[in-house]
Amino acid sequence: MSANEGRLRWLLRRGMKELDVLMERYYAHRWPEAPADEKAAFLRLVTLAEDPDIWAWAMGYEEPPPEYVGIIEQLRVYR
């Protein structure tokens, strides 16, 4: 495992179990084949966004900001 992969795996561990599961599913199933722009959006999401916001966006309780719409759509596939 590379240092970057290890750091990303650490960032997938969130403050709530449900979000951990969602992030892990995305990482396991989508990440290896995701295009570079999607990977960049995911990295911004896990480093800059707050857990309650990510959860609300992924569950459809709130609309995500425009910069996260695409990645949130991908996360919703794995909820």
Side-chain angles (χ1 to χ4, degrees):
M1 179 183 320
S2 72
N4 286 338
E5 184 180 353
R7 180 176 180 272
L8 178 56
R9 300 283 305 197
W10 176 254
L11 290 172
L12 297 179
R13 298 181 54 109
R14 310 307 292 186
M16 53 191 302
K17 182 63 176 172
E18 296 88 347
L19 199 50
D20 288 354
V21 170
L22 179 66
M23 295 293 190
E24 286 289 337
R25 285 180 184 166
Y26 170 85
Y27 183 79
H29 298 284
R30 176 72 180 169
W31 179 262
E33 304 302 321
D37 60 328
E38 183 179 314
K39 287 182 176 183
F42 184 72
L43 289 172
R44 282 192 308 276
L45 181 76
V46 299
T47 55
L48 300 176
E50 298 292 326
D51 291 352
D53 294 330
I54 298 171
W55 184 251
W57 301 331
M59 295 298 107
Y61 303 141
E62 295 178 16
E63 287 297 315
E67 66 266 26
Y68 295 133
V69 168
I71 192 60
I72 293 299
E73 288 174 357
Q74 287 300 320
L75 286 176
R76 286 178 179 165
V77 171
Y78 302 100
R79 60 180 173 180

